Structure formats: structure tokens, C-alpha cells
Coordinates of all heavy atoms in Angstrom, one line a residue:
M1 N 89.2 123.5 105.7 CA 88.2 123.2 106.7 C 88.7 122.0 107.6 O 88.5 122.0 108.8 CB 86.9 122.8 106.0 CG 85.9 122.4 106.9 SD 84.6 123.6 107.0 CE 83.3 122.7 107.8
T2 N 89.4 121.0 107.0 CA 89.8 119.9 107.8 C 90.9 120.3 108.8 O 90.9 119.8 109.9 CB 90.3 118.8 106.9 OG1 89.3 118.4 106.0 CG2 90.6 117.5 107.7
Q3 N 91.8 121.2 108.4 CA 92.8 121.7 109.4 C 92.1 122.4 110.6 O 92.6 122.2 111.7 CB 93.7 122.7 108.7 CG 94.6 122.0 107.6 CD 95.6 121.1 108.2 OE1 95.8 120.9 109.4 NE2 96.3 120.4 107.4
T4 N 91.0 123.1 110.3 CA 90.3 123.7 111.4 C 89.7 122.6 112.3 O 89.7 122.8 113.5 CB 89.2 124.6 110.8 OG1 89.8 125.6 109.9 CG2 88.4 125.3 111.9
T5 N 89.2 121.6 111.7 CA 88.6 120.5 112.4 C 89.6 119.8 113.3 O 89.4 119.5 114.5 CB 87.9 119.5 111.5 OG1 87.0 120.1 110.7 CG2 87.3 118.3 112.2
I6 N 90.8 119.6 112.7 CA 91.9 119.0 113.5 C 92.3 119.8 114.7 O 92.5 119.3 115.8 CB 93.1 118.7 112.6 CG1 92.7 117.6 111.5 CG2 94.3 118.2 113.4 CD1 93.8 117.4 110.4
A7 N 92.4 121.1 114.4 CA 92.8 122.0 115.5 C 91.7 122.0 116.6 O 92.1 122.0 117.8 CB 92.9 123.5 115.0
Y8 N 90.4 122.0 116.2 CA 89.4 121.9 117.2 C 89.5 120.6 118.0 O 89.4 120.6 119.3 CB 88.0 122.0 116.6 CG 86.9 121.6 117.5 CD1 86.5 122.5 118.5 CD2 86.3 120.4 117.4 CE1 85.4 122.2 119.4 CE2 85.2 120.1 118.3 CZ 84.8 121.0 119.3 OH 83.8 120.6 120.1
L9 N 89.7 119.5 117.3 CA 89.8 118.2 118.0 C 90.9 118.1 118.9 O 90.9 117.5 120.0 CB 89.8 117.1 116.9 CG 88.5 116.8 116.1 CD1 88.8 115.9 115.0 CD2 87.4 116.3 117.0
E10 N 92.1 118.7 118.5 CA 93.2 118.7 119.4 C 93.0 119.5 120.7 O 93.4 119.1 121.7 CB 94.5 119.3 118.6 CG 95.0 118.3 117.6 CD 96.1 118.9 116.7 OE1 96.2 120.1 116.6 OE2 96.8 118.0 116.1
R11 N 92.2 120.6 120.5 CA 91.9 121.4 121.7 C 91.0 120.6 122.7 O 91.2 120.6 123.9 CB 91.2 122.7 121.3 CG 92.2 123.8 120.8 CD 91.6 125.1 120.6 NE 90.3 125.2 119.9 CZ 90.2 125.3 118.6 NH1 91.3 125.4 117.9 NH2 89.1 125.3 118.0
R12 N 90.0 119.9 122.1 CA 89.1 119.0 122.9 C 89.9 117.9 123.5 O 89.7 117.6 124.7 CB 88.0 118.4 122.0 CG 86.8 119.2 121.8 CD 86.1 119.7 123.1 NE 85.6 118.7 123.9 CZ 85.6 118.6 125.2 NH1 86.1 119.6 125.9 NH2 85.1 117.6 125.9
Y13 N 90.9 117.3 122.8 CA 91.7 116.3 123.4 C 92.5 116.8 124.6 O 92.5 116.1 125.6 CB 92.6 115.8 122.3 CG 93.5 114.6 122.7 CD1 93.1 113.3 122.5 CD2 94.8 114.8 123.2 CE1 93.9 112.2 122.8 CE2 95.6 113.7 123.6 CZ 95.1 112.5 123.4 OH 95.9 111.4 123.7
N14 N 93.1 117.9 124.4 CA 93.8 118.5 125.5 C 93.0 118.9 126.7 O 93.3 118.7 127.9 CB 94.6 119.7 125.1 CG 95.7 119.4 124.1 OD1 96.3 118.3 124.2 ND2 96.1 120.3 123.2
A15 N 91.8 119.4 126.4 CA 90.8 119.7 127.5 C 90.4 118.4 128.3 O 90.3 118.4 129.5 CB 89.6 120.4 127.0
L16 N 90.2 117.3 127.5 CA 89.9 116.1 128.2 C 91.0 115.5 129.0 O 90.8 115.0 130.1 CB 89.4 115.0 127.1 CG 88.0 115.2 126.6 CD1 87.8 114.3 125.4 CD2 87.0 114.9 127.6
E17 N 92.2 115.7 128.6 CA 93.4 115.3 129.4 C 93.4 116.1 130.7 O 93.6 115.5 131.8 CB 94.7 115.6 128.6 CG 95.0 114.6 127.6 CD 96.4 114.8 127.0 OE1 96.8 115.9 126.9 OE2 97.0 113.8 126.6
E18 N 93.1 117.3 130.6 CA 93.0 118.2 131.9 C 91.9 117.7 132.8 O 92.0 117.6 134.0 CB 92.9 119.6 131.5 CG 93.0 120.5 132.7 CD 93.0 122.0 132.3 OE1 93.5 122.3 131.2 OE2 92.6 122.8 133.2
E19 N 90.7 117.4 132.2 CA 89.6 116.9 133.0 C 89.9 115.6 133.7 O 89.6 115.4 134.8 CB 88.4 116.8 132.1 CG 87.7 118.1 131.7 CD 86.4 117.8 130.9 OE1 85.6 117.1 131.3 OE2 86.4 118.3 129.7
I20 N 90.6 114.7 132.9 CA 91.0 113.4 133.5 C 92.0 113.7 134.7 O 91.8 113.0 135.7 CB 91.7 112.5 132.4 CG1 90.6 112.1 131.4 CG2 92.3 111.3 133.1 CD1 91.2 111.4 130.2
S21 N 92.9 114.6 134.5 CA 93.9 114.9 135.6 C 93.1 115.4 136.8 O 93.4 115.0 137.9 CB 94.9 115.9 135.1 OG 95.8 116.2 136.1
N22 N 92.2 116.3 136.6 CA 91.5 116.9 137.7 C 90.6 115.9 138.4 O 90.6 115.8 139.6 CB 90.6 118.1 137.2 CG 91.4 119.3 136.7 OD1 92.6 119.4 137.1 ND2 90.8 120.1 135.9
A23 N 90.0 115.0 137.6 CA 89.1 114.0 138.2 C 89.9 113.0 139.0 O 89.5 112.4 140.0 CB 88.3 113.3 137.1
S24 N 91.2 112.7 138.5 CA 92.0 111.8 139.2 C 92.5 112.3 140.5 O 92.8 111.5 141.4 CB 93.2 111.4 138.3 OG 92.8 110.8 137.1
H25 N 92.6 113.6 140.7 CA 93.1 114.2 141.9 C 92.0 114.4 142.9 O 92.3 114.9 144.1 CB 93.8 115.5 141.6 CG 95.1 115.2 140.9 ND1 95.3 115.3 139.6 CD2 96.4 114.9 141.4 CE1 96.5 115.0 139.2 NE2 97.2 114.7 140.3
Q26 N 90.7 114.2 142.6 CA 89.6 114.3 143.6 C 89.7 113.2 144.6 O 90.2 112.1 144.3 CB 88.3 114.3 142.9 CG 88.0 115.5 142.0 CD 86.7 115.4 141.3 OE1 86.0 114.4 141.4 NE2 86.3 116.5 140.6
S27 N 89.2 113.5 145.7 CA 89.2 112.4 146.8 C 87.8 112.1 147.2 O 87.1 113.0 147.7 CB 90.0 112.9 148.0 OG 90.1 111.9 149.0
P28 N 87.3 111.0 147.0 CA 87.9 109.9 146.2 C 87.6 110.1 144.7 O 86.7 110.7 144.3 CB 87.1 108.6 146.7 CG 85.7 109.2 147.0 CD 86.0 110.6 147.6
P29 N 88.5 109.6 143.9 CA 88.3 109.7 142.4 C 87.1 109.0 141.9 O 86.8 107.9 142.4 CB 89.6 109.1 141.8 CG 90.3 108.4 142.9 CD 89.7 108.8 144.2
D30 N 86.4 109.6 141.0 CA 85.2 109.0 140.4 C 85.7 108.2 139.2 O 85.8 108.7 138.1 CB 84.2 110.1 140.0 CG 82.9 109.6 139.5 OD1 82.8 108.3 139.2 OD2 82.0 110.4 139.3
D31 N 85.9 106.9 139.5 CA 86.4 106.0 138.5 C 85.5 105.9 137.2 O 86.0 105.8 136.1 CB 86.6 104.6 139.0 CG 87.7 104.6 140.1 OD1 88.6 105.4 140.0 OD2 87.7 103.7 141.0
L32 N 84.2 105.9 137.4 CA 83.3 105.8 136.3 C 83.4 107.1 135.4 O 83.5 107.0 134.2 CB 81.9 105.6 136.7 CG 80.8 105.4 135.7 CD1 81.2 104.1 134.9 CD2 79.5 105.2 136.3
A33 N 83.5 108.2 136.0 CA 83.6 109.5 135.2 C 85.0 109.5 134.5 O 85.1 109.9 133.4 CB 83.5 110.7 136.2
I34 N 86.0 109.0 135.2 CA 87.4 109.0 134.5 C 87.4 108.1 133.4 O 87.9 108.4 132.3 CB 88.4 108.6 135.6 CG1 88.6 109.7 136.6 CG2 89.8 108.3 134.9 CD1 89.4 109.3 137.8
A35 N 86.7 106.9 133.5 CA 86.6 105.9 132.4 C 85.9 106.5 131.2 O 86.3 106.4 130.1 CB 86.0 104.7 132.9
D36 N 84.8 107.3 131.5 CA 84.0 107.9 130.4 C 84.9 109.0 129.7 O 84.9 109.1 128.5 CB 82.8 108.6 131.0 CG 82.0 109.3 130.0 OD1 81.5 108.6 129.0 OD2 81.8 110.5 130.1
L37 N 85.6 109.8 130.5 CA 86.5 110.8 129.9 C 87.6 110.2 129.0 O 87.9 110.6 127.9 CB 87.1 111.7 131.0 CG 86.2 112.6 131.7 CD1 86.9 113.1 133.0 CD2 85.7 113.7 130.9
K38 N 88.2 109.1 129.5 CA 89.2 108.4 128.7 C 88.6 107.8 127.4 O 89.3 107.8 126.4 CB 89.8 107.3 129.6 CG 90.8 107.8 130.6 CD 91.4 106.7 131.4 CE 92.4 107.2 132.5 NZ 93.1 106.1 133.2
C39 N 87.4 107.3 127.5 CA 86.8 106.7 126.3 C 86.5 107.9 125.3 O 86.8 107.7 124.1 CB 85.4 106.1 126.7 SG 84.6 105.4 125.3
R40 N 86.0 109.0 125.8 CA 85.8 110.1 124.9 C 87.1 110.6 124.3 O 87.2 111.0 123.1 CB 85.1 111.3 125.6 CG 83.7 110.9 126.0 CD 83.0 111.8 126.9 NE 83.2 113.2 126.8 CZ 83.0 114.1 127.7 NH1 82.6 113.8 128.9 NH2 83.3 115.4 127.5
K41 N 88.2 110.6 125.1 CA 89.5 111.0 124.6 C 90.0 110.1 123.4 O 90.5 110.5 122.4 CB 90.5 111.0 125.7 CG 91.9 111.5 125.4 CD 92.7 111.5 126.7 CE 94.1 111.1 126.3 NZ 95.0 111.0 127.5
L42 N 89.8 108.8 123.6 CA 90.1 107.8 122.5 C 89.3 108.0 121.3 O 89.9 108.0 120.2 CB 89.9 106.4 123.0 CG 90.9 105.9 124.1 CD1 90.5 104.5 124.6 CD2 92.3 105.8 123.5
V43 N 88.1 108.3 121.4 CA 87.2 108.6 120.2 C 87.8 109.8 119.5 O 87.9 109.8 118.2 CB 85.8 108.8 120.6 CG1 85.0 109.4 119.5 CG2 85.2 107.5 121.1
I44 N 88.1 110.9 120.2 CA 88.7 112.1 119.6 C 90.0 111.8 119.0 O 90.3 112.3 117.9 CB 88.7 113.2 120.6 CG1 87.3 113.7 120.9 CG2 89.6 114.4 120.1 CD1 87.2 114.8 122.0
A45 N 90.9 111.0 119.6 CA 92.1 110.6 119.0 C 92.0 109.9 117.7 O 92.7 110.2 116.7 CB 92.9 109.7 120.0
D46 N 91.0 109.0 117.6 CA 90.7 108.4 116.4 C 90.2 109.4 115.3 O 90.6 109.3 114.1 CB 89.6 107.3 116.6 CG 90.1 106.1 117.3 OD1 91.3 105.9 117.3 OD2 89.3 105.3 117.8
E47 N 89.4 110.3 115.7 CA 88.9 111.3 114.7 C 90.1 112.2 114.2 O 90.1 112.6 113.1 CB 87.9 112.2 115.4 CG 86.5 111.5 115.6 CD 85.5 112.4 116.3 OE1 85.5 113.6 116.0 OE2 84.7 111.9 117.0
I48 N 91.0 112.5 115.1 CA 92.2 113.3 114.7 C 93.0 112.5 113.6 O 93.4 113.0 112.6 CB 93.1 113.7 115.9 CG1 92.4 114.7 116.8 CG2 94.4 114.2 115.4 CD1 93.0 114.9 118.1
I49 N 93.2 111.2 113.9 CA 94.0 110.4 113.0 C 93.2 110.3 111.6 O 93.9 110.5 110.6 CB 94.2 109.0 113.6 CG1 95.2 109.1 114.7 CG2 94.7 108.0 112.5 CD1 95.2 107.8 115.6
H50 N 91.9 110.1 111.7 CA 91.1 110.0 110.5 C 91.2 111.3 109.7 O 91.5 111.3 108.4 CB 89.7 109.7 110.8 CG 88.7 109.8 109.7 ND1 88.7 108.8 108.7 CD2 87.8 110.7 109.3 CE1 87.8 109.1 107.8 NE2 87.3 110.3 108.1
N51 N 91.1 112.4 110.3 CA 91.2 113.7 109.6 C 92.5 114.0 109.0 O 92.7 114.6 108.0 CB 90.7 114.9 110.5 CG 89.2 114.9 110.6 OD1 88.6 115.5 109.7 ND2 88.6 114.4 111.6
R52 N 93.6 113.6 109.8 CA 95.0 113.8 109.2 C 95.2 112.9 108.0 O 95.8 113.4 107.0 CB 96.0 113.4 110.3 CG 96.1 114.5 111.4 CD 97.2 114.2 112.4 NE 97.3 115.3 113.4 CZ 97.8 115.1 114.5 NH1 98.2 113.9 115.0 NH2 97.8 116.1 115.4
R53 N 94.6 111.7 108.0 CA 94.7 110.9 106.8 C 94.0 111.5 105.6 O 94.5 111.4 104.5 CB 94.2 109.5 107.1 CG 95.1 108.7 108.0 CD 94.6 107.3 108.2 NE 95.5 106.6 109.1 CZ 95.1 105.6 109.9 NH1 93.9 105.2 109.9 NH2 96.0 105.0 110.6
L54 N 92.8 112.1 105.9 CA 92.1 112.8 104.8 C 92.9 113.9 104.2 O 93.0 114.1 103.0 CB 90.8 113.3 105.3 CG 89.7 112.4 105.6 CD1 88.5 113.1 106.2 CD2 89.3 111.6 104.4
V55 N 93.6 114.7 105.1 CA 94.4 115.8 104.6 C 95.6 115.2 103.8 O 95.9 115.8 102.7 CB 95.0 116.6 105.8 CG1 96.1 117.6 105.4 CG2 93.9 117.3 106.5
E56 N 96.2 114.1 104.2 CA 97.3 113.5 103.4 C 96.8 113.1 102.1 O 97.4 113.3 101.0 CB 97.9 112.3 104.2 CG 98.8 112.7 105.3 CD 99.3 111.4 106.0 OE1 99.3 110.4 105.4 OE2 99.6 111.5 107.2
R57 N 95.7 112.4 102.0 CA 95.1 111.9 100.8 C 94.8 113.0 99.8 O 95.0 113.0 98.6 CB 93.9 111.0 101.0 CG 94.3 109.6 101.6 CD 93.1 108.8 101.7 NE 93.4 107.6 102.5 CZ 92.6 107.0 103.3 NH1 91.3 107.3 103.4 NH2 93.0 105.9 104.0
F58 N 94.1 114.0 100.4 CA 93.7 115.1 99.6 C 94.9 115.9 99.0 O 94.9 116.3 97.9 CB 92.8 116.1 100.4 CG 92.3 117.2 99.6 CD1 91.3 117.0 98.6 CD2 92.8 118.5 99.7 CE1 90.8 118.1 97.9 CE2 92.3 119.6 99.0 CZ 91.3 119.4 98.0
G59 N 95.9 116.0 99.8 CA 97.2 116.7 99.4 C 97.8 115.9 98.3 O 98.3 116.5 97.3
K60 N 97.8 114.6 98.4 CA 98.4 113.8 97.3 C 97.6 113.9 96.0 O 98.1 113.9 94.9 CB 98.5 112.3 97.7 CG 99.5 112.1 98.8 CD 99.5 110.6 99.2 CE 100.5 110.4 100.3 NZ 100.5 109.0 100.8
L61 N 96.3 113.9 96.1 CA 95.4 114.0 94.9 C 95.6 115.4 94.3 O 95.7 115.4 93.0 CB 93.9 113.9 95.3 CG 93.5 112.5 95.7 CD1 92.0 112.5 96.2 CD2 93.7 111.5 94.6
T62 N 95.6 116.5 95.0 CA 95.8 117.8 94.4 C 97.2 118.0 93.9 O 97.5 118.6 93.0 CB 95.4 118.9 95.4 OG1 96.2 118.8 96.6 CG2 94.0 118.8 95.8
G63 N 98.2 117.3 94.6 CA 99.6 117.4 94.2 C 99.8 116.7 92.9 O 100.6 117.2 92.0
S64 N 99.2 115.6 92.6 CA 99.4 114.9 91.4 C 98.6 115.5 90.2 O 98.9 115.2 89.1 CB 98.9 113.4 91.6 OG 97.5 113.3 91.9
A65 N 97.7 116.3 90.5 CA 96.9 116.9 89.4 C 97.7 118.1 88.8 O 97.4 118.5 87.7 CB 95.6 117.5 90.0
H66 N 98.7 118.6 89.4 CA 99.4 119.7 88.9 C 100.7 119.3 88.2 O 101.5 118.6 88.5 CB 99.7 120.8 90.0 CG 98.5 121.4 90.5 ND1 97.9 122.4 89.8 CD2 97.7 121.2 91.6 CE1 96.8 122.8 90.4 NE2 96.7 122.1 91.5

């Protein structure tokens, strides 16, 4: 389940990168919207890191049990 979560978060992260790029190319760029998108991207990046750590820890726990 966590791998599925990580894949979903990575897709959202990439979508936000594209939204940031698109917003940056608008004339004039909406700085507030771009800042919001970047903040959301950072939150998702943190969630990806957190979930990857969970996968590592769980893998170590199940690996040591066998």
C-alpha cells in the first residue's frame, strides 16, 4: 500500500511542477499562486520522504524476522 501511496505522491509532485512551470510562463505571472504551488510541492516532497522511510523500516523489520 505504501508503494502505491509513493507512486501517487510522485505523480502529484510532477503535476505540481508542471503547474508551476505553466504559471511562471503566464503574463504577468501570479506570484501568490506560484508560491502556493511551491509550498504544496514541498509538503508532498516531505510526504514522499516519510513514506520511503516507512518502507525502509518495514523492510528491515520483516527482513530480520526471517
Side-chain angles (χ1 to χ4, degrees):
M1 176 110 164
T2 305
Q3 292 292 353
T4 304
T5 302
I6 292 170
Y8 168 76
L9 291 170
E10 288 174 340
R11 286 191 306 273
R12 274 306 294 142
Y13 183 90
N14 291 332
L16 283 168
E17 283 186 328
E18 187 173 330
E19 286 183 54
I20 291 167
S21 177
N22 291 339
S24 297
H25 290 95
Q26 291 180 355
S27 181
D30 186 348
D31 293 332
L32 187 58
I34 293 169
D36 179 61
L37 291 168
K38 287 182 177 182
C39 181
R40 290 169 40 201
K41 185 177 143 186
L42 288 173
V43 169
I44 290 176
D46 287 343
E47 289 181 32
I48 291 170
I49 291 167
H50 173 74
N51 279 282
R52 285 183 178 157
R53 287 181 180 153
L54 287 177
V55 168
E56 284 180 24
R57 287 183 191 152
F58 183 73
K60 289 179 183 176
L61 289 176
T62 57
S64 63
H66 294 281

